[in-house]
Amino acid sequence: MPATRRTLLVLAAAGLLAGCASTPPSATVQVYTPAPQLAAGTTYRYERLPSQAGQPAQAALEAAADAALARAGLRRDDAAGRLAVQLTATQDAAPAAGYGWGGPSVGIGIGSGGWGSGVGVGVGIPIGGGGLRAARQRVDVQLRELQGGRVVWQAQASGDAAPAALVDAALRDFPVGGAGTRDVPLAQPAR
């Protein structure tokens, strides 16, 4: 195989590998309140909407929150909680590019024939619109004082992941994380 052809094959393989590389999944977390002053051992209980009662998905969200809240020094007490924790998961639809084929793309091709060989680079741009809509998960986490009803902490996390992973991301820096938006690496792979 001539050196030029080998070089072209190596360049094409490198281009393919670069296109396959991706960043680890993360969630966008928005915290709306400053860090609360909570004593270690502060108790909490869950507050569920009627549509959430008895739902297996809600139990998975609460299990993820239990682990994160325990790391922060809070203790679950369903009978005498000082704080109410409310967890809500929703699915937002976001427009996807093209007609389900993805967004803009770049392709590299190598060919040879009777007159020699060549390399080609192509750029694909979707024309049109509409098409498929990709789902994006979002969870809302709210901690409220049961006496007085004051919200002491609220956060939202969104991303392409299971809602339980997003609950973990939303509570990752609780209670020390201040208000603002940040990207938080997900503990489990994206769906």
Side-chain angles (χ1 to χ4, degrees):
M1 182 181 279
T4 305
R5 189 175 291 175
R6 261 191 301 250
T7 303
L8 294 176
L9 284 172
V10 168
L11 287 174
L16 271 173
L17 288 175
C20 293
S22 65
T23 59
S26 66
T28 301
V29 174
Q30 171 72 51
V31 177
Y32 295 97
T33 52
Q37 300 299 315
L38 299 172
T42 298
T43 58
Y44 69 93
R45 70 177 189 207
Y46 288 103
E47 195 170 74
R48 296 174 195 95
L49 298 170
S51 61
Q52 295 171 326
Q55 295 295 321
Q58 191 66 24
L61 292 179
E62 292 174 6
D66 280 339
L69 293 171
R71 283 192 309 263
L74 274 64
R75 185 174 53 83
R76 184 173 176 173
D77 185 341
D78 292 335
R82 181 181 153 225
L83 300 174
V85 178
Q86 188 172 33
L87 305 169
T88 308
T90 57
Q91 192 172 35
D92 296 331
Y99 289 94
W101 301 310
S105 62
V106 176
I108 300 174
I110 300 176
S112 65
W115 295 95
S117 59
V119 175
V121 176
V123 177
I125 300 172
I127 299 174
L132 301 176
R133 298 181 71 77
R136 188 167 169 86
Q137 300 289 332
R138 186 178 82 205
V139 297
D140 295 295
V141 180
Q142 185 182 105
L143 279 74
R144 182 177 48 79
E145 288 178 340
L146 283 167
Q147 184 177 16
R150 181 177 69 96
V151 173
V152 296
W153 196 78
Q154 181 187 7
Q156 290 179 343
S158 61
D160 185 22
L166 294 176
V167 167
D168 181 66
L171 291 167
R172 183 87 41 94
D173 296 329
F174 176 79
V176 295
T181 303
R182 60 187 172 273
D183 283 335
V184 176
L186 292 174
Q188 67 186 52
R191 311 185 271 133

